[in-house]
Amino acid sequence: MLTIPVLTSEQLILRPFETADVALVSRYAADPAVADRVSRSAIEYQSPEQWIDQQHVNFEEANYLTLAITQRAGGQLLGCITQTHYEADEHAELDYWIAKPYWNRGYATEAGRLMLDYTFDCWQLRRVFACHFATNPASGRVLEKLGFTREGVLRQHYCADNVFEDLVYWGLLRHEWARDRVHRRPV
Amino acid sequence: MAADQHQPTLTTSRLTLRPFDLSDAPAVQRQAGDRRVYQTTLRIPHPYKLADAESWLAGSARRYAEGQSIEFAATLTATGELVGCIGLEITPVHRHAELGYWIGPDHWSCGYATEAGRAILDFAFNTLGLHRVHVHHFAENTASARVIEKLGFQREGLARQHVYKDGQPIDIVLYGLLASQYMPQ
Ligand SMILES: CC(C)(COP(=O)(O)OP(=O)(O)OC[C@H]1O[C@@H](n2cnc3c(N)ncnc32)[C@H](O)[C@@H]1OP(=O)(O)O)[C@@H](O)C(=O)NCCC(=O)NCCS
Ligand SMILES: CC(C)(COP(=O)(O)OP(=O)(O)OC[C@H]1O[C@@H](n2cnc3c(N)ncnc32)[C@H](O)[C@@H]1OP(=O)(O)O)[C@@H](O)C(=O)NCCC(=O)NCCS
């Protein structure tokens, strides 16, 4: 059986979710600061146990990898990051959210690097893409810091509560990630 | 779209766009089975067997009834000959749809894709009341790019190496058209 990995960086530990996380996840994800900026499917689930079981099944089948973003010192849960794998096209889609009290400390970017390094190393990927609402420039900044290229804007593509949001589309190719990785590694 | 509603038939100056029928299977297989159609599309298998055409056609009415998609056989009004397929894949919550089409290679460059496309856009905005229609093509498919341009779409981006076909990464060009900017031609 494959087990979901634990990934560690300077400030963060990304680890599998546990049942004990679920109450906090639900509260964080219900905050409009997060809920209004992510697609519905990202936070909808039937029951906590199912949500977690599903993550293990999906990882084994290499469909996606979801990890809890936690503080390395103290273990505080900060957010969630997911990489959805489309095997036939050898690409994946990156999604993430950080609870509002922890914004703008570099956590999403640091978690993104860990996820990209792991999935480019372990999955057959040529490309990772990500989308965000144009009204959410912080997410675009995270992708820019991760080395993504802005590839387009799908105008009024997404309707949430009768508001049509522009969707900004970003992509990162394997060779671009590999080049950036070399630059950030002290030899 | 309610299940009891029948899919309409649309007409243009030369074409009749009608629901598919199982008896279209040989004509669909022959034309969509042409390698030149396979090469610039994503969901058409190759080789394309008669059974592939039949199973796809058998689902068309159901896909319409469920509101997922609407597919039309593009036929010549004068002779009834089937020359291609055009359709919309609809996402009701976002009030948008994706346009897709192919024309049998024997009938290329007669303006059929553009003519059918205009009728479908009119239907999408004025009958279905959609907010947006989007479409994409492989970067090298210049004929489709030309059709999309003639239909008045705006280019919105290029997803680099977004799909993988026969061992090759393919760039996808993305376009959209909003109801508010749609101008019938
Ligand atoms: C987007 C989000 C994940 C960012 O998380 P984070 O941990 O704060 O991200 P980081 O600290 O790594 O980087 C944020 C960057 O955005 C910048 N930023 C913040 N608000 C901004 C704004 N309104 N406009 C432009 N940039 C902004 C920050 O200054 C920072 O960039 P910098 O390092 O150059 O200063 C977080 O805001 C969030 O979870 N939002 C709600 C859910 C969401 O939007 N998820 C993404 C869906 S696509
Ligand atoms: C793309 C396709 C639907 C076009 O159908 P069509 O009925 O020939 O299209 P139209 O005649 O309306 O318009 C084609 C336009 O492209 C032009 N064209 C044709 N081949 C071309 C080429 N190789 N390079 C550049 N332009 C080309 C034509 O001259 C015409 O433009 P014009 O009116 O300015 O002269 C058809 O080629 C096809 O089915 N291809 C295979 C399947 C496919 O690619 N489907 C679309 C997936 S996005």
Side-chain angles (χ1 to χ4, degrees):
Chain A
M1 194 183 113
L2 283 170
T3 45
I4 296 181
V6 173
L7 312 176
T8 307
S9 64
E10 206 179 304
Q11 300 183 86
L12 301 178
I13 294 178
L14 308 194
R15 58 154 176 82
F17 276 101
E18 294 157 10
T19 313
D21 298 322
V22 169
L24 196 52
V25 169
S26 308
R27 192 151 58 77
Y28 282 164
D31 178 354
V34 171
D36 291 352
R37 292 178 171 83
V38 299
S39 69
R40 283 290 139 78
S41 57
I43 49 171
E44 266 173 10
Y45 51 89
Q46 288 108 359
S47 79
E49 289 75 19
Q50 255 179 324
W51 185 62
I52 288 171
D53 287 350
Q54 197 56 42
Q55 289 173 14
H56 289 274
V57 172
N58 276 306
F59 181 67
E60 276 199 58
E61 291 172 357
N63 290 333
Y64 68 70
L65 171 59
T66 291
L67 292 167
I69 304 172
T70 68
Q71 237 157 11
R72 188 166 168 178
Q76 175 63 43
L77 180 68
L78 306 169
C80 175
I81 187 160
T82 299
Q83 184 88 290
T84 307
H85 190 193
Y86 300 93
E87 260 184 307
D89 286 317
E90 299 192 1
H91 69 205
E93 179 172 6
L94 185 66
D95 291 294
Y96 40 77
W97 56 261
I98 297 286
K100 179 98 195 275
Y102 305 102
W103 285 7
N104 296 323
R105 301 191 204 171
Y107 292 143
T109 309
E110 198 168 314
R113 284 208 181 96
L114 283 172
M115 181 62 102
L116 290 170
D117 286 355
Y118 177 81
T119 51
F120 270 120
D121 280 339
C122 298
W123 293 351
Q124 180 90 10
L125 290 183
R126 289 173 302 98
R127 161 184 169 85
V128 174
F129 71 100
C131 303
H132 65 84
F133 298 154
T135 48
N136 182 20
S139 184
R141 180 71 188 121
V142 168
L143 296 169
E144 192 177 25
K145 289 193 286 180
L146 289 172
F148 281 73
T149 298
R150 193 177 192 270
E151 296 181 329
V153 181
L154 307 184
R155 295 165 306 148
Q156 305 185 25
H157 192 75
Y158 194 96
C159 181
D161 303 324
N162 279 321
V163 177
F164 289 94
E165 302 268 4
D166 290 354
L167 208 58
V168 191
Y169 216 92
W170 297 71
L172 174 69
L173 304 180
R174 173 176 281 276
H175 72 87
E176 297 165 339
W177 160 80
R179 178 196 62 205
D180 288 356
R181 186 190 220 185
V182 168
H183 288 308
R184 73 183 133 88
R185 281 272 162 83
V187 188
Chain B
M1 283 171 277
D4 55 301
Q5 267 181 307
H6 280 294
Q7 179 175 336
T9 291
L10 313 177
T11 52
T12 66
S13 57
R14 294 176 294 169
L15 302 174
T16 299
L17 307 180
R18 58 153 175 83
F20 276 104
D21 185 89
L22 266 183
S23 63
D24 294 321
V28 167
Q29 183 216 4
R30 189 169 43 77
Q31 303 189 66
D34 189 301
R35 195 165 171 83
R36 290 169 288 176
V37 171
Y38 163 77
Q39 270 166 339
T40 50
T41 50
L42 276 173
R43 289 174 230 165
I44 299 174
H46 196 78
Y48 193 48
K49 302 193 198 67
L50 188 62
D52 295 326
E54 283 168 348
S55 71
W56 183 75
L57 290 170
S60 189
R62 179 185 46 78
R63 290 188 293 272
Y64 174 73
E66 289 173 355
Q68 295 173 27
S69 58
I70 177 160
E71 293 134 8
F72 292 96
T75 62
L76 299 181
T77 304
T79 63
E81 187 185 354
L82 188 138
V83 297
C85 168
I86 185 155
L88 296 168
E89 214 174 280
I90 301 160
T91 309
V93 281
H94 300 309
R95 286 178 51 204
H96 69 210
E98 181 178 332
L99 174 67
Y101 45 79
W102 57 259
I103 297 290
D106 291 349
H107 304 282
W108 284 2
S109 293
C110 300
Y112 293 144
T114 309
E115 191 169 317
R118 291 199 175 115
I120 292 289
L121 289 176
D122 179 70
F123 179 75
F125 291 124
N126 296 326
T127 304
L128 298 179
L130 295 178
H131 184 78
R132 166 185 163 89
V133 174
H134 55 108
V135 64
H136 57 76
H137 66 77
F138 292 5
E140 283 169 16
N141 189 357
T142 39
S144 189
R146 182 73 190 114
V147 170
I148 290 166
E149 184 188 335
K150 288 193 285 181
L151 291 175
F153 281 86
Q154 187 172 317
R155 184 178 157 130
E156 295 181 329
L158 182 130
R160 297 167 306 151
Q161 303 188 17
H162 195 64
V163 301
Y164 205 51
K165 187 171 171 112
D166 297 335
Q168 290 300 317
I170 292 166
D171 293 347
I172 299 289
V173 192
L174 311 167
Y175 299 80
L177 180 59
L178 302 178
S180 59
Q181 292 171 346
Y182 168 64
M183 285 191 286
Q185 286 146 326

